[in-house]
Amino acid sequence: QVQLVESGGGLVQPGGSLRLSCAASRFSISSYTMSWYRQVPGKERELVAAISIPGGSTNYADSVKGRFTISRYNANTVYLQMNSLTLEDTAVYYCKARCSRVGICGTMEYWGKGTLVTVSS
């Protein structure tokens, strides 16, 4: 069935980099706005970055501007490049797809199950 799978998380030192990947199974994400969220225990899930349909725009949380980059690799994959990581970036990162072309995909939304990023020395 349709699903999103995140990968690329792990342990990294402060100042280091990671690239997260979101892979769509059995559907194309070209008609979807793609987003990365993150969440830590006891806190609300927050939007980190989003990218519109191909040819559209990107936006970022203030806390990651200049450090993180969201991009589309192909019709099934989105990346989140994370540089200059800090302890505050530690969280479970989730990928989300939201339909932006109603005539093609209606109002469908999909979430991945998350990948853990731990920034620690």
Side-chain angles (χ1 to χ4, degrees), residues 30-70:
S30 297
S31 298
Y32 293 77
T33 294
M34 302 300 298
S35 302
W36 287 95
Y37 288 75
R38 67 186 181 187
Q39 187 171 29
V40 299
K43 296 184 178 180
E44 296 182 352
R45 188 172 298 186
E46 66 171 344
L47 176 66
V48 175
I51 185 168
S52 301
I53 58 175
S57 61
T58 59
N59 65 82
Y60 300 90
D62 289 342
S63 60
V64 307
K65 287 181 179 178
R67 300 188 298 120
F68 290 11
T69 303
I70 186 171

Coordinates of all heavy atoms in Angstrom, one line a residue, residues 30-70:
S30 N 4.8 14.1 -6.9 CA 4.9 15.3 -7.7 C 3.7 16.2 -7.5 O 3.8 17.4 -7.7 CB 5.0 14.9 -9.2 OG 6.2 14.2 -9.5
S31 N 2.5 15.6 -7.1 CA 1.3 16.4 -6.8 C 1.1 16.8 -5.4 O 0.1 17.3 -5.0 CB 0.1 15.7 -7.3 OG 0.2 15.4 -8.7
Y32 N 2.1 16.5 -4.6 CA 2.0 16.8 -3.1 C 3.0 17.8 -2.6 O 4.2 17.8 -3.1 CB 2.3 15.4 -2.4 CG 1.2 14.4 -2.6 CD1 1.2 13.6 -3.7 CD2 0.3 14.1 -1.6 CE1 0.2 12.7 -3.9 CE2 -0.7 13.1 -1.8 CZ -0.7 12.4 -2.9 OH -1.6 11.4 -3.1
T33 N 2.6 18.6 -1.7 CA 3.5 19.4 -0.9 C 4.2 18.5 0.1 O 3.5 17.7 0.8 CB 2.8 20.5 -0.1 OG1 2.3 21.5 -1.1 CG2 3.7 21.3 0.8
M34 N 5.5 18.5 0.2 CA 6.2 17.6 1.0 C 6.8 18.4 2.2 O 7.3 19.5 2.0 CB 7.3 16.9 0.3 CG 6.9 16.1 -0.9 SD 5.7 14.8 -0.4 CE 6.8 13.8 0.6
S35 N 6.7 17.8 3.4 CA 7.2 18.5 4.6 C 8.0 17.6 5.5 O 7.8 16.4 5.5 CB 6.0 19.1 5.4 OG 5.3 20.0 4.6
W36 N 8.9 18.2 6.3 CA 9.6 17.5 7.3 C 9.1 18.1 8.7 O 9.2 19.4 8.8 CB 11.1 17.6 7.2 CG 11.7 16.7 6.1 CD1 12.0 17.0 4.9 CD2 12.0 15.3 6.3 NE1 12.5 16.0 4.2 CE2 12.5 14.9 5.0 CE3 11.9 14.4 7.3 CZ2 13.0 13.6 4.8 CZ3 12.4 13.1 7.1 CH2 12.9 12.7 5.8
Y37 N 8.7 17.3 9.6 CA 8.4 17.7 10.9 C 9.4 17.0 11.9 O 10.0 16.0 11.6 CB 7.0 17.4 11.3 CG 5.9 18.2 10.6 CD1 5.6 18.0 9.3 CD2 5.2 19.1 11.3 CE1 4.6 18.7 8.7 CE2 4.2 19.9 10.7 CZ 3.9 19.6 9.4 OH 2.9 20.3 8.8
R38 N 9.4 17.6 13.1 CA 10.2 16.9 14.2 C 9.5 17.0 15.5 O 8.7 17.9 15.7 CB 11.6 17.4 14.3 CG 11.7 18.9 14.7 CD 13.2 19.3 14.7 NE 13.4 20.7 15.1 CZ 14.5 21.4 15.0 NH1 15.6 20.8 14.5 NH2 14.6 22.6 15.5
Q39 N 9.8 16.1 16.4 CA 9.1 16.0 17.7 C 10.0 15.4 18.7 O 10.7 14.4 18.5 CB 7.8 15.2 17.6 CG 7.0 15.3 18.9 CD 5.6 14.7 18.7 OE1 5.4 13.8 17.9 NE2 4.6 15.2 19.4
V40 N 10.0 16.0 19.9 CA 10.8 15.4 21.1 C 9.7 15.2 22.2 O 8.7 15.8 22.2 CB 11.8 16.4 21.6 CG1 12.9 16.6 20.5 CG2 11.2 17.7 22.1
P41 N 10.0 14.2 23.1 CA 9.1 13.9 24.1 C 8.7 15.1 24.9 O 9.5 15.9 25.3 CB 9.8 12.9 25.0 CG 10.8 12.3 24.1 CD 11.2 13.4 23.1
G42 N 7.3 15.3 25.2 CA 6.8 16.4 26.0 C 6.6 17.7 25.2 O 6.2 18.7 25.8
K43 N 7.0 17.7 23.9 CA 6.8 18.9 23.1 C 5.9 18.6 21.9 O 5.8 17.5 21.5 CB 8.1 19.5 22.7 CG 9.0 19.9 23.8 CD 10.3 20.5 23.3 CE 11.2 21.1 24.4 NZ 12.4 21.7 23.9
E44 N 5.3 19.7 21.3 CA 4.5 19.6 20.2 C 5.4 19.3 18.9 O 6.5 19.7 18.8 CB 3.7 20.8 20.0 CG 2.7 21.1 21.1 CD 1.9 22.4 20.8 OE1 2.2 23.1 19.8 OE2 0.9 22.6 21.5
R45 N 4.8 18.6 18.0 CA 5.4 18.4 16.7 C 5.5 19.7 16.0 O 4.5 20.4 15.9 CB 4.7 17.3 15.9 CG 5.4 16.9 14.6 CD 4.6 15.7 14.0 NE 4.6 14.5 14.8 CZ 4.2 13.3 14.5 NH1 3.7 13.2 13.2 NH2 4.2 12.3 15.3
E46 N 6.7 20.0 15.4 CA 6.8 21.3 14.7 C 7.3 21.1 13.3 O 8.0 20.1 13.0 CB 7.9 22.1 15.5 CG 9.3 21.6 15.5 CD 10.3 22.6 16.0 OE1 10.0 23.8 16.1 OE2 11.4 22.1 16.3
L47 N 6.8 22.0 12.5 CA 7.2 22.0 11.1 C 8.7 22.5 10.9 O 9.0 23.5 11.5 CB 6.3 22.9 10.2 CG 6.7 23.1 8.8 CD1 6.5 21.8 8.0 CD2 5.8 24.2 8.1
V48 N 9.5 21.7 10.2 CA 10.9 22.1 10.0 C 11.1 22.7 8.6 O 11.8 23.7 8.5 CB 11.8 20.8 10.2 CG1 13.2 21.2 9.8 CG2 11.7 20.3 11.6
A49 N 10.6 22.1 7.6 CA 10.8 22.5 6.2 C 9.7 22.0 5.4 O 9.1 20.9 5.6 CB 12.1 22.1 5.7
A50 N 9.4 22.7 4.3 CA 8.3 22.3 3.3 C 8.8 22.7 1.9 O 9.4 23.7 1.7 CB 7.0 22.9 3.7
I51 N 8.3 21.9 1.0 CA 8.6 22.2 -0.4 C 7.3 22.0 -1.2 O 6.7 21.0 -1.1 CB 9.8 21.4 -1.0 CG1 10.1 21.8 -2.4 CG2 9.5 19.9 -0.9 CD1 11.5 21.2 -2.9
S52 N 7.0 22.9 -2.1 CA 5.8 22.8 -2.9 C 5.9 21.9 -4.1 O 7.0 21.2 -4.2 CB 5.4 24.2 -3.4 OG 5.2 25.1 -2.4
I53 N 4.9 21.8 -4.9 CA 5.0 20.9 -6.1 C 6.2 21.4 -6.9 O 6.6 22.6 -6.8 CB 3.7 21.0 -6.9 CG1 3.3 22.4 -7.3 CG2 2.6 20.3 -6.1 CD1 2.1 22.5 -8.2
P54 N 6.7 20.6 -7.8 CA 7.8 21.0 -8.6 C 7.7 22.3 -9.3 O 6.6 22.6 -9.9 CB 7.9 19.8 -9.7 CG 7.4 18.7 -9.0 CD 6.3 19.2 -8.1
G55 N 8.7 23.2 -9.2 CA 8.6 24.5 -9.7 C 8.2 25.5 -8.7 O 8.2 26.7 -8.9
G56 N 7.8 25.0 -7.5 CA 7.2 25.9 -6.4 C 8.3 26.4 -5.5 O 9.5 26.4 -5.8
S57 N 7.9 26.7 -4.3 CA 8.8 27.3 -3.3 C 9.1 26.4 -2.1 O 8.5 25.3 -2.0 CB 8.2 28.6 -2.8 OG 6.9 28.4 -2.1
T58 N 10.0 26.9 -1.3 CA 10.4 26.2 0.0 C 10.2 27.2 1.1 O 10.2 28.4 1.0 CB 11.8 25.7 0.0 OG1 12.7 26.8 -0.2 CG2 12.0 24.7 -1.2
N59 N 10.0 26.6 2.3 CA 10.0 27.4 3.5 C 10.5 26.6 4.7 O 10.5 25.4 4.7 CB 8.6 28.0 3.8 CG 7.6 26.9 4.2 OD1 7.5 26.5 5.3 ND2 6.8 26.6 3.2
Y60 N 11.1 27.4 5.7 CA 11.8 26.7 6.8 C 11.4 27.4 8.1 O 11.1 28.6 8.2 CB 13.3 26.8 6.6 CG 13.8 26.2 5.4 CD1 13.9 26.9 4.2 CD2 14.2 24.9 5.3 CE1 14.4 26.4 3.0 CE2 14.7 24.3 4.2 CZ 14.8 25.0 3.0 OH 15.3 24.5 1.9
A61 N 11.5 26.6 9.2 CA 11.4 27.1 10.5 C 12.6 28.1 10.8 O 13.7 27.8 10.3 CB 11.4 26.0 11.5
D62 N 12.4 29.1 11.5 CA 13.4 30.1 11.8 C 14.6 29.4 12.4 O 15.8 29.8 12.1 CB 12.9 31.2 12.7 CG 12.0 32.1 12.1 OD1 11.9 32.2 10.8 OD2 11.2 32.9 12.8
S63 N 14.4 28.4 13.2 CA 15.5 27.7 13.9 C 16.5 27.0 13.0 O 17.6 26.6 13.4 CB 15.0 26.8 15.0 OG 14.1 25.8 14.4
V64 N 16.0 26.7 11.8 CA 16.9 25.9 10.9 C 17.3 26.6 9.6 O 18.0 26.1 8.8 CB 16.2 24.5 10.5 CG1 15.8 23.8 11.7 CG2 15.0 24.8 9.6
K65 N 16.8 27.8 9.4 CA 17.1 28.6 8.2 C 18.6 28.8 8.1 O 19.3 29.1 9.0 CB 16.4 30.0 8.3 CG 14.9 29.9 8.0 CD 14.3 31.3 8.0 CE 12.8 31.3 7.8 NZ 12.2 32.7 7.9
G66 N 19.1 28.5 6.9 CA 20.5 28.7 6.6 C 21.3 27.4 6.9 O 22.5 27.3 6.6
R67 N 20.7 26.4 7.6 CA 21.4 25.2 8.0 C 20.8 24.0 7.3 O 21.5 23.0 7.0 CB 21.3 25.0 9.5 CG 22.0 26.1 10.3 CD 22.1 25.7 11.8 NE 20.8 25.5 12.4 CZ 20.4 24.4 13.0 NH1 21.2 23.3 13.0 NH2 19.2 24.3 13.5
F68 N 19.4 24.0 7.1 CA 18.8 22.8 6.5 C 18.3 23.2 5.1 O 17.9 24.3 4.8 CB 17.5 22.4 7.3 CG 17.8 21.8 8.7 CD1 19.1 21.8 9.2 CD2 16.8 21.2 9.4 CE1 19.4 21.3 10.5 CE2 17.0 20.6 10.6 CZ 18.3 20.7 11.2
T69 N 18.2 22.2 4.2 CA 17.8 22.3 2.9 C 16.9 21.2 2.5 O 17.3 20.0 2.6 CB 18.9 22.4 1.9 OG1 19.8 23.5 2.2 CG2 18.4 22.7 0.5
I70 N 15.6 21.5 2.1 CA 14.7 20.4 1.6 C 14.8 20.5 0.1 O 14.8 21.5 -0.5 CB 13.3 20.7 2.1 CG1 12.4 19.5 1.7 CG2 12.7 22.0 1.7 CD1 11.0 19.5 2.4

